[in-house]
């Protein structure tokens, strides 16, 4: 049985640990130490490392893990610096096989947060780095609003029951922003209550799902008339295109 568990790192990062029958792959290990501890505790061998983008809080542990586990295969975006020597550079549309986990993943280019950012998708699982968060999306450090809007649209087009493994526990703050945009969204209200309970108990709010994100996450809802109206009201500008609504929401959130 394939298992996906969060390894908390830094303040609010999750390093996702995918495991099956004593073998494991980690996604975005920003720090090696908590990964070593998790592997030891669960008696797992590391077979691979998946990287979504080049930021240090996603790659900082790669070199040390590659030293400890020289047979582990490193995968990272082709359009960004390889975080350690000998890695496999991945482009949009490629597929990788992780035989130890009996898992195949498809690579999706999702530029916006960074220009080379990729996501890994397969078997109903999505590892999307800092592109899609529950209730939010990554900041636009390198890409344009159009690029990010398009990337999020690709993720939103995945099957509804796809589980979304984001790399930060930002959900509660993100939902407060969604609520400011859509104060009367009943699905959002329900989810906010659920998330508040989980966080009180220190339980991760992730994974989310594509269906849930389409229902609550305003960054996937630029085409909803109420969301467009709120963005227009906030910017005091007419916004004709969905990506313009998205861009207005992203700027609004930056100052929220
Ligand atoms: Zn990042």
């Amino acid at each position: 049985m394939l298992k996906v568990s969060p390894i908390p790192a830094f303040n609010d990062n999750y390093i996702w640990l995918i495991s099956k029958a004593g073998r494991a792959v980690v996604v975005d290990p920003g720090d090696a130490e908590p990964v070593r501890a998790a592997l030891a505790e669960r008696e797992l061998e590391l077979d691979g490392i998946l990287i979504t983008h080049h930021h240090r809080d996603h790659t900082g542990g790669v070199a040390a893990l590659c030293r400890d586990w020289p047979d582990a295969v490193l995968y990272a975006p082709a359009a960004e610096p390889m975080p350690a020597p000998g890695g496999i550079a991945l482009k949009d549309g490629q597929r990788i096989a992780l035989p130890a986990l009996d898992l195949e993943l498809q690579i999706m280019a999702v530029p916006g947060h960074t220009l080379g950012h990729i996501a890994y998708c397969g078997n109903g699982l999505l590892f999307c780095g800092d592109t899609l968060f529950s209730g939010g999306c990554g900041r636009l450090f390198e890409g344009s609003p159009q690029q990010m809007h398009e990337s999020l649209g690709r993720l939103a087009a995945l099957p509804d029951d796809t589980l979304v493994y984001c790399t930060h526990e930002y959900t509660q703050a993100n939902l407060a922003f969604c609520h400011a945009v859509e104060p009367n969204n009943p699905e959002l209200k329900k989810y906010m209550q659920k998330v508040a309970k989980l966080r009180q108990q220190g339980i991760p709010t992730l994974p989310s799902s594509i269906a849930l994100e389409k229902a609550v996450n305003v960054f996937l809802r630029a085409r909803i008339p109420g969301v467009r109206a709120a963005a227009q009201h906030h910017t005091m500008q007419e916004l004709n295109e969905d990506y313009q609504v998205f861009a207005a929401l992203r700027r609004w959130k930056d100052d929220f």
Side-chain angles (χ1 to χ4, degrees):
M1 191 57 190
L2 195 69
K3 205 174 152 193
V4 186
S5 4
I7 304 173
F10 309 118
N11 279 339
D12 49 33
N13 284 66
Y14 293 129
I15 299 165
W16 292 104
L17 176 69
I18 316 170
S19 63
K20 184 176 184 172
R23 320 291 302 187
V25 166
V26 287
V27 185
D28 285 353
D31 190 1
E33 202 41 54
V35 175
R36 284 194 192 109
L39 292 171
E41 188 193 320
R42 296 166 169 86
E43 298 181 345
L44 294 168
E45 299 286 336
L46 187 66
D47 276 292
I49 300 171
L50 310 180
I51 297 299
T52 62
H53 68 294
H54 66 84
H55 286 159
R56 187 78 189 154
D57 64 319
H58 296 249
T59 60
V62 171
L65 291 173
C66 287
R67 267 198 309 274
D68 290 1
W69 305 92
D71 293 334
V73 183
L74 168 65
Y75 299 93
E80 298 192 346
M82 186 56 66
I88 296 176
L90 298 174
K91 287 186 181 153
D92 187 57
Q94 273 183 271
R95 299 184 72 84
I96 59 169
L98 305 168
L101 302 181
D102 198 15
L103 179 64
E104 262 198 26
L105 295 171
Q106 169 119 23
I107 310 309
M108 298 172 77
V110 284
H113 177 69
T114 66
L115 283 175
H117 200 304
I118 58 173
Y120 298 83
C121 181
N123 206 26
L125 315 173
L126 170 68
F127 299 94
C128 53
D130 285 354
T131 298
L132 176 62
F133 295 125
S134 187
C137 71
R139 282 177 188 262
L140 302 178
F141 286 118
E142 298 176 14
S144 67
Q146 289 97 316
Q147 278 177 319
M148 188 60 144
H149 182 248
E150 198 172 307
S151 295
L152 291 171
R154 292 189 75 189
L155 299 182
L158 291 169
D160 274 351
D161 59 357
T162 305
L163 296 175
V164 181
Y165 293 88
C166 324
T167 43
H168 287 276
E169 182 59 68
Y170 289 160
T171 311
Q172 204 161 19
N174 286 340
L175 296 183
F177 176 72
C178 291
H179 186 252
V181 178
E182 279 195 291
N184 299 314
N185 178 342
E187 291 298 316
L188 174 60
K189 282 184 190 167
K190 224 165 60 186
Y191 186 40
M192 288 176 84
Q193 286 169 2
K194 181 183 166 191
V195 163
K197 262 187 211 150
L198 289 172
R199 294 315 294 154
Q200 269 167 17
Q201 301 168 70
I203 300 172
T205 59
L206 303 168
S208 179
S209 72
I210 291 295
L212 176 59
E213 293 309 310
K214 287 196 296 193
V216 302
N217 186 334
V218 292
F219 294 101
L220 302 184
R221 294 169 63 78
R223 70 163 68 92
I224 305 289
V227 173
R228 176 171 301 216
Q232 291 192 143
H233 182 77
H234 184 78
T235 56
M236 295 189 291
Q237 278 174 5
E238 196 173 300
L239 305 168
N240 296 310
E241 303 291 335
D242 289 349
Y243 81 83
Q244 295 173 320
V245 175
F246 170 80
L249 292 169
R250 189 56 265 184
R251 282 195 304 271
W252 182 358
K253 172 86 192 308
D254 288 342
D255 305 325
F256 186 70

